Amino acid sequence: MKVFISVDMEGISGLVRWADVSSQGIDFERNRSLMTADANAAVEGAFAAGATEVIVEENHGVEDLCVLLMDEVHPRCSVIRGAGRHGSTTAAGLDESVGVVLLVGHHGRAGSYPGIMAHTISYGMFKLVRLGGNPIGEADFFAIRAGELGVPIGMVSGDQIAAEQVSAICPWAETVIVKEALGNQSGHCIPPTRARPMIQAGAECAVKRAMAGELEPFTAISGPYNFEVELRNPVSDNMRENLNSLDEFEILDDKVIGITAPNMNLGFRRVAYLGYADRAGVTKY
Ligand SMILES: [Zn+2]
């Protein structure tokens, strides 16, 4: 079975604040190592369960999505990294040939409190992202996109909020809670050395259960999709001009953008585009 692991940074064991996951933070280099180790634990668990191939896709949007330390990455997996991938930037390696998706280091959706570094796609630009009127997060995007391809979500690691939000839509998924959120930038953490065997065990269990046919693709929500993105700041002149040239975007009021998409590959890309749609003349995504 081919296993797809999406690795983000906000839900990595031991990390609680924005400075932990941005290149300016004093511990960023060390934290890249922690991120790599959590991902490796999931890779190890997947192979222990009998995976034939494990693809790790980098999902953390700083440094052009090149944050894992390649010389520390598990030797048996491969890694998709860098910006400008074909398809959705964070799910370019996800297709029908994948047997199960594991979410490592994921986080709660925008608007969650508590919820360590909770956000949806762009913390700086988006206050909230809604789909069909309900707030959604990155894990929801993955569950829906994977569901379109017939692939189940098998595991999530992160804080208790990320775990609860995935459990609510994919109750069959393994949840590995590596820290308890106390606020948006505080938590009660176990040492990463203790979290890693938990992630490994969760991944092994998830892949075994996927092979046994015990996991379901999430299909309760399907396209076409209607999103509303609530911006933190009013639409800029550049953004207004860009969006006015694109039929799939509608400026609903000065802080709310409506987006339509026939499938979640385009849904992902269109919502992500809004995060840089204030650059003059940029209308490609
Ligand atoms: Zn991230």
Side-chain angles (χ1 to χ4, degrees):
M1 175 174 281
K2 184 166 156 184
V3 176
F4 174 94
I5 299 176
S6 163
V7 57
D8 203 350
M9 197 166 196
E10 291 83 352
I12 294 299
S13 57
L15 309 187
V16 297
R17 61 188 185 128
W18 288 108
D20 285 337
V21 302
S22 66
S23 16
Q24 294 80 21
I26 57 166
D27 287 329
F28 186 64
E29 286 306 311
R30 300 180 71 144
N31 296 341
R32 295 176 66 192
S33 192
L34 297 183
M35 179 185 179
T36 309
D38 275 13
N40 285 348
V43 174
E44 185 62 30
F47 279 119
T52 49
E53 182 182 355
V54 178
I55 295 176
V56 174
E57 183 148 353
E58 294 210 29
N59 193 177
H60 185 56
V62 307
E63 294 298 323
D64 303 315
L65 301 101
C66 293
V67 185
L68 292 173
L69 294 171
M70 288 304 288
D71 58 349
E72 294 180 10
V73 166
H74 196 294
R76 291 185 68 190
C77 70
S78 57
V79 179
I80 296 175
R81 59 198 327 238
R85 301 165 197 172
H86 66 84
S88 305
T89 297
T90 54
L94 180 56
D95 61 27
E96 292 91 342
S97 70
V98 169
V100 63
V101 170
L102 310 180
L103 305 174
V104 172
H106 271 250
H107 50 81
R109 62 177 71 107
S112 304
Y113 186 89
I116 294 175
M117 294 179 268
H119 70 287
T120 300
I121 300 186
S122 172
Y123 175 75
M125 301 267 298
F126 305 162
K127 192 173 172 204
L128 210 60
V129 178
R130 287 186 290 268
L131 174 61
N134 301 308
I136 63 162
E138 293 167 35
D140 301 287
F141 274 94
F142 273 98
I144 295 167
R145 178 59 186 151
E148 287 179 343
L149 298 166
V151 181
I153 302 293
M155 186 195 85
V156 59
S157 76
D159 66 10
Q160 82 278 19
I161 304 303
E164 282 165 18
Q165 292 177 358
V166 170
S167 288
I169 59 166
C170 300
W172 49 83
E174 300 290 324
T175 56
V176 182
I177 298 171
V178 299
K179 51 193 176 186
E180 183 197 0
L182 301 176
N184 285 133
Q185 290 201 79
S186 55
H188 187 175
C189 301
I190 58 169
T193 46
R194 206 158 91 225
R196 287 172 210 149
M198 291 163 53
I199 295 169
Q200 184 176 332
E204 182 171 352
C205 189
V207 174
K208 278 187 177 154
R209 288 177 56 219
M211 287 171 164
E214 293 174 18
L215 309 179
E216 296 171 34
F218 175 73
T219 53
I221 299 173
S222 57
Y225 303 104
N226 288 297
F227 301 93
E228 281 175 13
V229 178
E230 208 175 304
L231 302 171
R232 290 191 187 278
N233 298 305
V235 178
S236 65
D237 291 344
N238 283 343
M239 187 185 281
R240 188 174 298 277
E241 195 168 318
N242 289 339
L243 298 185
N244 282 341
S245 71
L246 298 165
D247 286 346
E248 57 274 32
F249 295 87
E250 188 182 356
I251 299 170
L252 298 173
D253 71 39
D254 70 338
K255 284 189 176 177
V256 182
I257 310 297
I259 304 175
T260 56
N263 58 57
M264 201 45 93
N265 176 35
L266 283 167
F268 236 127
R269 288 166 64 182
R270 287 174 182 173
V271 174
Y273 164 69
L274 267 195
Y276 56 91
D278 59 348
R279 296 180 199 162
V282 176
T283 53
K284 288 218 161 48
Y285 54 81

